[in-house]
Coordinates of all heavy atoms in Angstrom, one line a residue:
M1345 N 0.8 -1.2 0.0 CA 0.0 0.0 0.0 C 0.9 1.2 0.0 O 1.8 1.3 0.8 CB -0.9 0.0 1.2 CG -1.9 1.1 1.3 SD -3.1 0.7 2.5 CE -3.3 2.2 3.2
V1346 N 0.6 2.2 -0.9 CA 1.4 3.4 -1.0 C 0.7 4.5 -0.2 O -0.5 4.8 -0.3 CB 1.5 3.9 -2.5 CG1 2.2 5.1 -2.6 CG2 2.1 2.7 -3.3
V1347 N 1.5 5.1 0.7 CA 1.0 6.3 1.5 C 1.4 7.6 0.8 O 2.6 7.8 0.6 CB 1.6 6.2 2.9 CG1 1.1 7.4 3.7 CG2 1.2 4.9 3.6
R1348 N 0.4 8.4 0.5 CA 0.7 9.7 -0.1 C 0.6 10.8 0.9 O -0.3 10.8 1.7 CB -0.3 9.9 -1.3 CG -0.1 9.0 -2.4 CD -1.0 9.3 -3.5 NE -0.9 8.3 -4.5 CZ -1.2 8.5 -5.8 NH1 -1.6 9.7 -6.2 NH2 -1.1 7.6 -6.7
R1349 N 1.6 11.6 0.9 CA 1.6 12.7 1.8 C 1.4 14.0 1.1 O 1.8 14.2 0.0 CB 3.0 12.8 2.5 CG 3.3 11.7 3.4 CD 4.6 11.9 4.1 NE 4.9 10.7 4.9 CZ 6.0 10.5 5.5 NH1 7.0 11.3 5.4 NH2 6.2 9.4 6.2
R1350 N 0.6 14.8 1.7 CA 0.3 16.1 1.1 C 1.4 17.1 1.4 O 1.9 17.2 2.5 CB -1.1 16.7 1.6 CG -2.2 15.9 1.1 CD -3.5 16.6 1.6 NE -4.6 15.8 1.1 CZ -5.9 16.2 1.3 NH1 -6.1 17.3 2.0 NH2 -6.9 15.4 0.9
R1351 N 1.7 17.9 0.4 CA 2.7 18.9 0.6 C 2.0 20.2 0.9 O 0.9 20.5 0.4 CB 3.5 19.2 -0.7 CG 4.5 18.1 -1.0 CD 5.4 18.5 -2.1 NE 6.4 17.6 -2.4 CZ 7.4 17.8 -3.2 NH1 7.5 18.9 -3.9 NH2 8.3 16.8 -3.3
R1352 N 2.6 21.0 1.8 CA 2.0 22.3 2.1 C 2.4 23.2 1.0 O 3.5 23.2 0.5 CB 2.7 22.8 3.4 CG 2.0 22.2 4.7 CD 2.6 23.0 5.8 NE 1.8 22.7 7.0 CZ 2.0 23.2 8.2 NH1 3.0 24.1 8.3 NH2 1.3 22.9 9.2
K1353 N 1.5 24.1 0.7 CA 1.7 25.1 -0.3 C 2.6 26.2 0.4 O 2.3 26.6 1.6 CB 0.4 25.8 -0.8 CG -0.3 24.9 -1.7 CD -1.5 25.6 -2.3 CE -2.2 24.7 -3.3 NZ -3.4 25.4 -3.9
A1354 N 3.5 26.7 -0.3 CA 4.3 27.8 0.2 C 3.5 29.1 0.3 O 2.8 29.4 -0.6 CB 5.5 28.1 -0.7
A1355 N 3.5 29.7 1.4 CA 2.7 30.9 1.6 C 3.3 32.0 0.8 O 4.5 32.2 0.7 CB 2.8 31.3 3.1
K1356 N 2.4 32.8 0.1 CA 2.8 33.9 -0.7 C 3.1 35.1 0.1 O 2.4 35.4 1.1 CB 1.7 34.2 -1.7 CG 1.4 33.1 -2.7 CD 0.3 33.6 -3.7 CE 0.1 32.5 -4.6 NZ -1.0 32.8 -5.6
K1357 N 4.2 35.8 -0.2 CA 4.6 37.0 0.5 C 3.7 38.1 0.0 O 3.5 38.3 -1.2 CB 6.0 37.3 0.3 CG 6.9 36.3 1.0 CD 8.3 36.8 1.2 CE 9.1 35.8 2.0 NZ 10.1 36.3 2.7
R1358 N 3.1 38.8 0.9 CA 2.3 40.0 0.6 C 2.5 41.1 1.6 O 3.0 40.8 2.7 CB 0.8 39.5 0.5 CG 0.3 39.0 1.9 CD -1.1 38.6 1.8 NE -1.3 37.5 0.9 CZ -2.5 37.0 0.5 NH1 -3.6 37.6 1.0 NH2 -2.6 36.1 -0.3
P1359 N 2.1 42.3 1.3 CA 2.2 43.4 2.3 C 1.4 43.1 3.5 O 0.2 42.8 3.4 CB 1.7 44.6 1.5 CG 1.7 44.2 0.1 CD 1.6 42.8 0.0
V1360 N 2.1 43.2 4.7 CA 1.4 43.0 6.0 C 1.6 44.2 6.8 O 2.7 44.8 6.9 CB 2.1 41.8 6.7 CG1 1.5 41.6 8.1 CG2 2.0 40.5 5.9
P1361 N 0.5 44.7 7.4 CA 0.6 46.0 8.2 C 1.5 45.7 9.4 O 1.4 44.7 10.1 CB -0.8 46.3 8.6 CG -1.6 45.1 8.3 CD -0.9 44.3 7.3
T1362 N 2.4 46.7 9.7 CA 3.2 46.6 10.9 C 2.5 47.0 12.2 O 3.0 46.6 13.3 CB 4.5 47.4 10.7 OG1 4.1 48.8 10.5 CG2 5.3 46.9 9.6
N1363 N 1.5 47.7 12.1 CA 0.7 48.2 13.3 C -0.7 47.7 13.1 O -1.6 48.4 12.7 CB 0.7 49.7 13.3 CG 0.2 50.2 14.6 OD1 -0.5 49.5 15.4 ND2 0.4 51.5 14.9
P1364 N -1.0 46.4 13.6 CA -2.3 45.8 13.4 C -3.4 46.5 14.1 O -4.6 46.5 13.6 CB -2.1 44.4 13.9 CG -0.7 44.2 14.2 CD 0.0 45.5 14.2
T1365 N -3.2 47.2 15.2 CA -4.3 47.8 15.9 C -4.7 49.1 15.2 O -5.9 49.3 15.0 CB -3.9 48.2 17.4 OG1 -2.7 49.0 17.3 CG2 -3.7 47.0 18.2
L1366 N -3.8 49.8 14.6 CA -4.1 51.0 13.8 C -4.8 50.6 12.6 O -5.8 51.2 12.1 CB -2.9 51.8 13.5 CG -3.1 53.0 12.5 CD1 -4.0 54.0 13.2 CD2 -1.7 53.6 12.2
Y1367 N -4.4 49.5 11.9 CA -5.0 49.0 10.7 C -6.4 48.6 11.0 O -7.3 48.9 10.2 CB -4.2 47.8 10.2 CG -4.6 47.3 8.8 CD1 -4.2 48.0 7.7 CD2 -5.4 46.2 8.7 CE1 -4.6 47.5 6.4 CE2 -5.8 45.8 7.5 CZ -5.4 46.4 6.3 OH -5.8 46.0 5.1
A1368 N -6.7 47.9 12.1 CA -8.0 47.4 12.4 C -8.9 48.6 12.7 O -10.1 48.6 12.3 CB -8.0 46.5 13.7
R1369 N -8.4 49.7 13.3 CA -9.2 50.9 13.6 C -9.6 51.6 12.3 O -10.8 52.0 12.1 CB -8.4 51.8 14.5 CG -9.2 52.8 15.3 CD -8.4 53.7 16.2 NE -7.4 52.9 16.9 CZ -6.2 53.4 17.1 NH1 -5.8 54.6 16.7 NH2 -5.3 52.7 17.8
V1370 N -8.6 51.7 11.4 CA -8.9 52.4 10.1 C -9.9 51.5 9.3 O -10.8 52.0 8.6 CB -7.6 52.7 9.3 CG1 -7.9 53.2 8.0 CG2 -6.7 53.6 10.1
K1371 N -9.7 50.2 9.3 CA -10.6 49.3 8.6 C -12.0 49.4 9.1 O -13.0 49.4 8.3 CB -10.1 47.8 8.7 CG -10.8 46.8 7.9 CD -10.1 45.5 8.0 CE -10.9 44.4 7.2 NZ -10.2 43.1 7.4
A1372 N -12.2 49.5 10.4 CA -13.5 49.6 11.0 C -14.2 50.9 10.5 O -15.4 51.0 10.2 CB -13.5 49.6 12.5
E1373 N -13.3 52.0 10.4 CA -13.8 53.3 9.9 C -14.2 53.2 8.5 O -15.3 53.7 8.1 CB -12.7 54.3 10.1 CG -13.2 55.7 10.0 CD -12.0 56.7 10.3 OE1 -11.2 56.4 11.2 OE2 -12.1 57.8 9.7
A1374 N -13.5 52.5 7.7 CA -13.8 52.3 6.3 C -15.1 51.5 6.1 O -15.9 51.9 5.2 CB -12.7 51.5 5.5
K1375 N -15.4 50.6 7.0 CA -16.6 49.8 6.9 C -17.8 50.7 7.2 O -18.9 50.5 6.7 CB -16.6 48.6 7.8 CG -15.7 47.5 7.3 CD -15.7 46.3 8.3 CE -14.8 45.2 7.7 NZ -14.9 44.0 8.6
R1376 N -17.6 51.7 8.1 CA -18.7 52.6 8.4 C -18.9 53.6 7.3 O -20.1 54.0 7.1 CB -18.4 53.4 9.7 CG -18.6 52.5 11.0 CD -18.5 53.4 12.2 NE -17.3 54.2 12.4 CZ -16.2 53.8 13.0 NH1 -16.2 52.6 13.6 NH2 -15.1 54.5 13.1
I1377 N -17.9 54.1 6.7 CA -18.0 55.1 5.6 C -18.6 54.6 4.3 O -19.4 55.2 3.7 CB -16.6 55.7 5.4 CG1 -16.1 56.5 6.6 CG2 -16.6 56.6 4.2 CD1 -14.7 57.0 6.5
F1378 N -18.1 53.4 3.9 CA -18.5 52.9 2.5 C -19.6 51.9 2.6 O -19.6 51.1 3.5 CB -17.2 52.3 1.9 CG -16.2 53.2 1.5 CD1 -15.1 53.5 2.4 CD2 -16.2 53.9 0.3 CE1 -14.1 54.4 2.1 CE2 -15.2 54.9 0.0 CZ -14.2 55.1 0.9
K1379 N -20.6 52.0 1.7 CA -21.7 51.1 1.7 C -21.2 49.7 1.4 O -21.6 48.8 2.1 CB -22.7 51.5 0.6 CG -24.0 52.1 1.1 CD -24.9 52.4 0.0 CE -26.2 53.0 0.5 NZ -27.1 53.4 -0.6
V1380 N -20.4 49.6 0.4 CA -19.8 48.3 0.0 C -18.4 48.3 0.5 O -17.6 49.0 0.0 CB -19.9 48.1 -1.5 CG1 -19.3 46.7 -1.9 CG2 -21.3 48.2 -2.0
Y1381 N -18.1 47.4 1.5 CA -16.7 47.5 2.0 C -15.7 46.8 1.1 O -14.8 47.5 0.7 CB -16.5 46.9 3.4 CG -15.1 46.8 3.7 CD1 -14.3 47.9 3.8 CD2 -14.5 45.5 3.8 CE1 -12.9 47.8 3.9 CE2 -13.1 45.4 3.9 CZ -12.3 46.6 4.0 OH -11.0 46.4 4.1
P1382 N -15.8 45.6 0.8 CA -14.6 45.1 0.0 C -14.8 45.6 -1.4 O -15.3 45.0 -2.3 CB -14.8 43.6 0.0 CG -16.0 43.3 0.7 CD -16.7 44.5 1.1
S1383 N -14.3 46.9 -1.6 CA -14.3 47.5 -3.0 C -13.0 48.2 -3.2 O -12.3 48.4 -2.2 CB -15.5 48.5 -3.1 OG -15.2 49.6 -2.2
A1384 N -12.7 48.5 -4.4 CA -11.4 49.1 -4.8 C -11.3 50.5 -4.1 O -10.3 50.9 -3.6 CB -11.3 49.2 -6.3
Y1385 N -12.4 51.2 -4.1 CA -12.4 52.6 -3.5 C -12.2 52.5 -2.0 O -11.4 53.2 -1.4 CB -13.7 53.3 -3.7 CG -14.0 53.6 -5.2 CD1 -14.9 53.0 -5.9 CD2 -13.2 54.6 -5.8 CE1 -15.1 53.3 -7.3 CE2 -13.4 54.9 -7.1 CZ -14.3 54.3 -7.9 OH -14.5 54.6 -9.2
A1386 N -12.8 51.6 -1.3 CA -12.7 51.4 0.1 C -11.3 51.0 0.5 O -10.7 51.5 1.4 CB -13.7 50.4 0.7
N1387 N -10.8 50.0 -0.3 CA -9.4 49.5 0.0 C -8.4 50.6 -0.2 O -7.4 50.7 0.5 CB -9.1 48.2 -0.7 CG -9.9 47.1 -0.2 OD1 -10.2 47.0 1.0 ND2 -10.2 46.1 -1.1
G1388 N -8.5 51.3 -1.3 CA -7.6 52.4 -1.6 C -7.6 53.5 -0.5 O -6.6 54.0 0.0
W1389 N -8.8 53.8 0.0 CA -9.0 54.8 1.1 C -8.3 54.2 2.3 O -7.6 54.9 3.1 CB -10.4 55.1 1.3 CG -10.7 56.1 2.4 CD1 -10.7 57.4 2.3 CD2 -10.8 55.8 3.8 NE1 -10.9 58.0 3.5 CE2 -11.0 57.0 4.5 CE3 -10.8 54.6 4.6 CZ2 -11.2 57.1 5.8 CZ3 -11.0 54.7 5.9 CH2 -11.2 55.9 6.6
L1390 N -8.5 52.9 2.6 CA -7.9 52.3 3.8 C -6.4 52.4 3.8 O -5.8 52.8 4.8 CB -8.4 50.8 3.8 CG -7.7 49.9 4.8 CD1 -8.0 50.3 6.2 CD2 -8.1 48.5 4.6
V1391 N -5.8 52.1 2.7 CA -4.3 52.1 2.6 C -3.8 53.5 2.7 O -2.9 53.8 3.5 CB -3.8 51.5 1.3 CG1 -2.4 51.7 1.1 CG2 -4.1 50.0 1.3
R1392 N -4.4 54.5 2.0 CA -4.0 55.9 2.1 C -4.1 56.4 3.5 O -3.2 57.1 4.0 CB -4.8 56.7 1.1 CG -4.4 56.7 -0.3 CD -5.0 57.9 -1.1 NE -6.4 58.1 -0.8 CZ -7.4 57.5 -1.4 NH1 -7.1 56.6 -2.3 NH2 -8.6 57.8 -1.1
T1393 N -5.2 56.1 4.2 CA -5.5 56.7 5.5 C -4.5 56.0 6.5 O -4.0 56.7 7.4 CB -6.9 56.4 5.9 OG1 -7.8 57.0 4.9 CG2 -7.2 57.1 7.2
Y1394 N -4.3 54.7 6.4 CA -3.4 54.0 7.3 C -2.0 54.5 7.2 O -1.3 54.8 8.2 CB -3.4 52.5 6.9 CG -2.4 51.6 7.7 CD1 -2.6 51.4 9.0 CD2 -1.4 51.1 7.0 CE1 -1.6 50.6 9.7 CE2 -0.4 50.3 7.6 CZ -0.6 50.0 9.0 OH 0.3 49.3 9.7
K1395 N -1.5 54.8 6.0 CA -0.2 55.3 5.8 C -0.1 56.8 6.3 O 0.9 57.2 6.9 CB 0.2 55.3 4.3 CG 0.6 53.9 3.8 CD 1.1 53.9 2.4 CE 1.6 52.6 2.0 NZ 2.1 52.7 0.6
K1396 N -1.2 57.5 6.1 CA -1.2 58.9 6.5 C -1.1 59.0 8.0 O -0.5 59.9 8.6 CB -2.5 59.6 6.0 CG -2.5 61.1 6.0 CD -3.9 61.6 5.6 CE -4.2 61.3 4.1 NZ -5.4 61.9 3.7
R1397 N -1.7 58.0 8.7 CA -1.7 58.0 10.2 C -0.4 57.4 10.7 O -0.3 57.1 11.9 CB -2.9 57.3 10.7 CG -4.2 58.1 10.4 CD -5.4 57.4 11.0 NE -6.6 58.1 10.5 CZ -7.8 57.7 10.9 NH1 -8.0 56.6 11.7 NH2 -8.9 58.3 10.4
G1398 N 0.5 57.0 9.9 CA 1.8 56.5 10.4 C 2.0 55.0 10.2 O 3.0 54.5 10.7
G1399 N 1.1 54.4 9.6 CA 1.2 52.9 9.4 C 2.2 52.6 8.3 O 2.4 53.4 7.4
R1400 N 2.8 51.4 8.4 CA 3.7 51.0 7.3 C 3.3 49.5 7.0 O 2.6 48.8 7.8 CB 5.1 51.0 7.8 CG 5.6 52.4 7.9 CD 7.1 52.4 8.3 NE 7.6 53.7 8.0 CZ 8.9 53.9 8.0 NH1 9.8 53.0 8.4 NH2 9.4 55.1 7.7
F1401 N 3.9 49.0 5.9 CA 3.7 47.7 5.5 C 5.1 47.0 5.4 O 6.1 47.7 5.1 CB 3.0 47.6 4.1 CG 1.5 48.0 4.2 CD1 1.2 49.3 3.9 CD2 0.6 47.1 4.6 CE1 -0.2 49.6 3.9 CE2 -0.8 47.4 4.6 CZ -1.1 48.7 4.3
R1402 N 5.1 45.7 5.6 CA 6.4 44.9 5.3 C 6.0 43.8 4.5 O 4.8 43.3 4.5 CB 7.0 44.5 6.6 CG 6.2 43.5 7.4 CD 6.9 42.9 8.6 NE 6.0 42.2 9.5 CZ 5.6 40.9 9.2 NH1 6.0 40.3 8.1 NH2 4.7 40.3 10.0
M1403 N 6.9 43.3 3.7 CA 6.6 42.1 2.9 C 6.8 40.8 3.7 O 7.8 40.7 4.4 CB 7.5 42.0 1.6 CG 7.2 43.1 0.6 SD 5.5 43.0 0.0 CE 5.5 41.5 -1.0
G1404 N 5.8 40.0 3.8 CA 6.0 38.8 4.6 C 4.7 38.0 4.6 O 3.7 38.3 3.8
V1405 N 4.6 37.1 5.5 CA 3.4 36.2 5.7 C 2.8 36.6 7.0 O 3.4 36.9 8.0 CB 3.9 34.7 5.8 CG1 2.7 33.8 6.0 CG2 4.7 34.4 4.6
K1406 N 1.4 36.7 6.9 CA 0.7 37.1 8.1 C 0.9 36.1 9.2 O 0.9 34.9 9.0 CB -0.8 37.2 7.8 CG -1.6 38.0 8.7 CD -3.0 38.1 8.2 CE -3.8 39.0 9.1 NZ -5.2 39.2 8.6
K1407 N 1.2 36.6 10.4 CA 1.4 35.7 11.6 C 0.1 35.1 12.0 O -0.9 35.7 12.1 CB 2.0 36.5 12.7 CG 3.4 37.0 12.5 CD 3.9 37.8 13.7 CE 5.2 38.4 13.4 NZ 5.7 39.2 14.5
R1408 N 0.2 33.8 12.4 CA -1.0 33.1 12.9 C -1.1 33.3 14.4 O -0.1 33.4 15.1 CB -0.9 31.6 12.6 CG -1.2 31.2 11.2 CD -1.2 29.8 11.1 NE -1.9 29.4 9.8 CZ -2.2 28.2 9.5 NH1 -1.9 27.2 10.3 NH2 -2.8 28.0 8.4
R1409 N -2.3 33.4 14.9 CA -2.5 33.6 16.3 C -2.6 32.3 17.1 O -2.9 31.3 16.7 CB -3.8 34.4 16.5 CG -3.6 35.8 16.0 CD -4.9 36.6 16.3 NE -4.8 37.9 15.7 CZ -5.7 38.8 15.8 NH1 -6.8 38.6 16.5 NH2 -5.5 39.9 15.2

């Protein structure tokens, strides 16, 4: 009998916010402002506002809790 093992997919590196509390606060604000949250306009506003308030991004994999 042959035992097959599944390989884990390598996690893709993507921009991860360095200040998660600030990011969450701005994201909650975006959800209140925009009728449709997951939209290009809302996400663009989210990134601009997060950076304006001092947030930064790093390239990496999101940490698991």
